[in-house]
Amino acid sequence: MDTLSCDLLIVGGGAAGLRAAIAAAAAVPDLDIAVISKVYPMRSHTVSAEGGAAAVIKPGDSLDAHAYDTVSGADWLSDQDVVEAFVEEAPREMLQLEHWGCPWNREPDGSVAVRPFGGMKIKRTWFAADKTGFHMLHALFQTSLRYGSVRRFDEWFVTKLLVDDGRCQGVVAIELATGKIHGITAKAVILCTGGCGKIFPFTTNANIKNGDGMALAYRAGVPLKDMEFVQYHPTGLPQTGILITEAARAEGGWMLNKDGYRYLQDYDLGTPTPEPVLRSMELGPRDRLSQAFIQEQERGRTLEGPYGHYVNLDIRHIGEKVIDRKLPFVRELCRKYANLDPVRELIPVRPVVHYMMGGVHTDIMGATPLGGLYAAGEVACVNLNGANRLGSNSLTECLVFGARAGRAAATFAAGAPAPAASVEAQVRDEERRLEDDFFNASGRTERIADVRSEMQSAMEESAGIYRTGASITAGAETVGRLQAHAQRLRLEDSSRTFNTELTAALELGYMLELAQVILRSAEARTESRGAHQRTDHPQRDDERFLAHSLAYRTDGGPPRIEYLPVTITRWPPGERVYGR
């Protein structure tokens, strides 16, 4: 066992983590900063973001308009002080990223190009073709290399937060190349590990998105906030869940049912007259479009294939020239993973889990209730996205709140005492736990894949696009049983080098714990709001539930659910309206 040390440790090498590292290094230049990631940073899930990032830049747009779209799109569950800070700082962050080399698309006059995106009434989504996340991450990664104070631990897997005297003081991690277990002490830690979409069977999320940071914080006593709100994206490939970006609809794509009919005109997306409906209905908010799919399925108007029901996305009329210029990655994905060319053929799509609105409870600076622990990006819930995130807000969120968390954590670390020597005992305890639970155990029979598959099926059935109290309760019982099974996991691989079976087992433990939190939070919220749709409680209930849920871990039982009021500054709760 080795113990390393730094001043500030950032867990996660995606957009939020790298932006936090850059901000921290700029704020306190002599700070010793480390970034630890279970994958090489350029393989972080940020590369999968395709469509764009939102920020006000064009005449006719305004910060107030961006803020209102975000608040109403969130079904009034976002904290409006957070939203106002976000929209104000977003343009500066996007321009900064351009100065760092991000190749934004341009208009003929040389200005930054923007495209429309779901739930937003004005074009404000910056884009780099349909590989926006890749280009953003590339610019951030290259910029981070300028700072000699930032060092990296690539392909290290974090298993525990070190907590002593009410303060987070580092982590325990496995060096995947050797299997060695290390303690890394730090005066402050920032979690930037992304979401947990792999809890569900059909998702746009990569296999690394298992909720690591959420579970680590939860086990350390930090509450998880608004975990009942799980966003489905309406256009994923049925067999893989791979995302077909919203940009395909922003450029004019149509959603068609089995009869070739643009069915979204039959649903309430808040548009006042038939003409605007036909113009903008494919760019309604993601929760509404996903719900419309289920209703089409119930009416027998979807198609059915080997991976379930689907509808078609038609971009043929956009033309090959525009597709190759603005949607080249969509064409590449369709050719490689669906064996079709969208220039000439329809794209089969279905709703797939895409994003977690909930996460680790933080304030507007990314600080959690645990001293020295911060979080940013999808792992965190800073109260920006409420009950439904608008498309293209998430990449900008990584920049704005990654930078905020980086500066705040750097300032904290600069004034904090050195980690206590006593945390080394926790490192040794964690090393023994990993040995005893996975390498020295005998007589175990459960397979990781079996438990994981049953968990994913249970989550889709009990906490999918539509939910009931009965389905949620049944799901919670199944997950509870699977948690017991997970205590008997059998590892076939006893090696120490790149033991992916060990990391899969640890990730399964994270996911099962978070699945229980999602279900219990959904069970307690007896209303329908945004992505949380209870058919047994179909109305929004602002009197009881204009509040954030907080799930606290208990000893051996279900999480304790408490509520925190939503901050309202300028926009009282109203009807969700689009296209007006």
Side-chain angles (χ1 to χ4, degrees):
M1 181 196 77
D2 293 332
T3 301
L4 311 172
S5 66
C6 61
D7 295 320
L8 172 61
L9 178 63
I10 299 166
V11 185
L18 293 178
R19 185 64 188 95
I22 294 165
V28 185
D30 60 347
L31 209 63
D32 180 10
I33 301 167
V35 177
I36 184 171
S37 175
K38 67 180 180 181
V39 294
Y40 187 72
M42 280 305 299
R43 294 183 65 82
S44 299
H45 193 61
T46 304
V47 299
S48 299
E50 300 168 25
V56 173
I57 191 67
K58 294 293 188 182
D61 200 0
S62 69
L63 300 182
D64 279 359
H66 190 186
Y68 182 78
D69 284 352
T70 299
V71 169
S72 60
D75 223 344
W76 271 267
L77 202 71
S78 56
D79 282 355
Q80 294 176 18
D81 57 338
V82 171
V83 174
E84 291 184 88
F86 167 74
V87 301
E88 181 180 352
E89 294 175 24
R92 293 197 296 272
E93 285 291 330
M94 298 291 281
L95 288 170
Q96 177 65 77
L97 202 63
E98 178 182 53
H99 296 164
W100 288 337
C102 188
W104 301 120
N105 272 52
R106 297 287 175 178
E107 301 289 3
D109 65 1
S111 63
V112 172
V114 292
R115 60 173 36 136
F117 239 68
M120 295 193 185
K121 296 187 286 292
I122 296 172
K123 293 183 181 180
R124 67 169 64 93
T125 298
W126 306 37
F127 61 99
D130 57 353
K131 295 184 178 180
T132 307
F134 170 83
H135 289 297
M136 288 178 65
L137 188 62
H138 202 159
L140 289 165
F141 182 54
Q142 289 184 316
T143 301
S144 74
L145 298 179
R146 299 178 188 173
Y147 293 91
S149 60
V150 178
R151 52 190 168 126
R152 300 202 321 270
F153 296 90
D154 297 338
E155 298 183 328
W156 287 45
F157 185 94
V158 176
T159 68
K160 180 182 175 63
L161 296 181
L162 299 173
V163 179
D164 188 74
D165 194 28
R167 180 164 61 95
C168 185
Q169 301 188 29
V171 305
V172 180
I174 303 170
E175 183 181 6
L176 297 179
T178 64
K180 289 185 65 175
I181 296 168
H182 300 265
I184 306 178
T185 61
K187 297 175 182 177
V189 174
I190 310 176
L191 297 173
C192 301
T193 54
C196 57
K198 292 303 290 184
I199 292 174
F200 292 80
F202 293 100
T203 175
T204 64
N205 287 192
N207 283 334
I208 59 174
K209 295 285 287 293
N210 304 286
D212 304 26
M214 295 178 187
L216 290 168
Y218 184 61
R219 292 174 179 180
V222 178
L224 300 181
K225 184 165 54 186
D226 291 343
M227 290 293 286
E228 61 268 40
F229 297 104
V230 179
Q231 181 173 84
Y232 279 73
H233 196 291
T235 55
L237 293 177
Q239 64 270 44
T240 62
I242 289 173
L243 173 68
I244 300 299
T245 173
E246 202 157 293
R249 288 172 282 128
E251 298 300 334
W254 299 337
M255 299 288 289
L256 308 176
N257 66 15
K258 72 173 186 180
D259 302 316
Y261 175 67
R262 288 179 71 186
Y263 62 90
L264 290 170
Q265 61 191 291
D266 295 345
Y267 295 90
D268 177 18
L269 302 178
T271 45
T273 62
E275 191 276 327
V277 166
L278 290 172
R279 186 178 66 241
S280 64
M281 61 187 170
E282 273 85 10
L283 288 180
R286 291 170 177 175
D287 58 339
R288 294 278 178 88
L289 265 62
S290 297
Q291 292 155 22
F293 172 89
I294 296 298
Q295 293 177 52
E296 284 292 291
Q297 179 181 326
E298 291 173 347
R299 292 168 180 167
R301 301 200 299 221
T302 56
L303 299 109
E304 190 168 4
Y307 302 98
H309 289 262
Y310 66 94
V311 292
N312 284 316
L313 174 62
D314 188 359
I315 63 172
R316 297 173 298 178
H317 54 283
I318 298 173
E320 186 171 11
K321 183 177 179 181
V322 174
I323 291 171
D324 283 345
R325 182 164 57 91
K326 292 187 173 182
L327 302 169
F329 195 44
V330 167
R331 192 176 189 186
E332 180 183 339
L333 289 171
C334 288
R335 282 171 157 170
K336 286 185 175 180
Y337 296 99
N339 195 29
L340 62 88
D341 187 349
V343 170
R344 301 173 184 85
E345 299 170 85
L346 299 172
I347 307 170
V349 293
R350 57 161 288 166
V352 291
V353 166
H354 184 58
Y355 188 89
M356 296 298 300
M357 271 71 75
V360 179
H361 173 37
T362 75
D363 65 15
I364 198 169
M365 295 305 297
T368 76
L370 177 62
L373 182 65
Y374 298 76
E378 191 180 354
V379 68
C381 183
V382 68
N383 305 345
L384 173 67
N385 300 307
N388 174 66
R389 176 179 68 78
L390 292 192
S392 74
N393 267 356
S394 62
L395 286 175
T396 320
E397 177 188 2
C398 289
L399 300 177
V400 170
F401 293 103
R404 280 181 164 243
R407 289 190 292 266
T411 301
F412 180 94
S422 58
V423 297
E424 291 195 13
Q426 296 182 41
V427 180
R428 288 191 293 271
D429 288 345
E430 178 67 358
E431 184 175 34
R432 280 192 293 270
R433 181 186 78 87
L434 295 172
E435 290 287 337
D436 292 345
D437 286 357
F438 297 105
F439 290 114
N440 297 334
S442 59
R444 299 195 171 195
T445 58
E446 298 290 344
R447 297 180 66 249
I448 296 169
D450 293 339
V451 177
R452 183 174 56 213
S453 178
E454 189 173 353
M455 170 197 69
Q456 291 172 334
S457 297
M459 290 301 291
E460 185 75 22
E461 293 169 6
S462 61
I465 294 170
Y466 285 103
R467 309 155 173 192
T468 68
S471 74
I472 294 167
T473 299
E477 291 173 354
T478 299
V479 170
R481 174 174 54 79
L482 293 175
Q483 285 180 295
H485 287 193
Q487 300 302 311
R488 303 190 297 274
L489 291 178
R490 181 181 76 248
L491 296 191
E492 304 283 355
D493 186 356
S494 60
S495 69
R496 301 301 170 120
T497 59
F498 287 110
N499 190 330
T500 55
E501 192 178 23
L502 171 62
T503 56
L506 292 166
E507 289 167 338
L508 179 58
Y510 293 155
M511 289 190 286
L512 285 166
E513 195 142 28
L514 296 178
Q516 196 68 267
V517 173
I518 291 169
L519 291 164
R520 296 301 183 181
S521 299
E523 185 178 50
R525 186 177 288 271
T526 52
E527 66 157 359
S528 289
R529 184 186 299 268
H532 173 69
Q533 292 293 308
R534 289 277 301 260
T535 56
D536 50 349
H537 296 279
Q539 301 304 314
R540 195 177 81 185
D541 185 351
D542 287 343
E543 282 193 22
R544 296 178 59 207
F545 292 111
L546 189 63
H548 304 289
S549 65
L550 294 173
Y552 291 85
R553 195 173 195 240
T554 61
D555 292 333
R560 183 180 79 256
I561 308 298
E562 298 180 2
Y563 291 93
L564 181 71
V566 171
T567 299
I568 306 291
T569 59
R570 298 169 56 196
W571 298 281
E575 180 187 359
R576 289 178 69 188
V577 175
Y578 301 89
R580 297 185 186 179

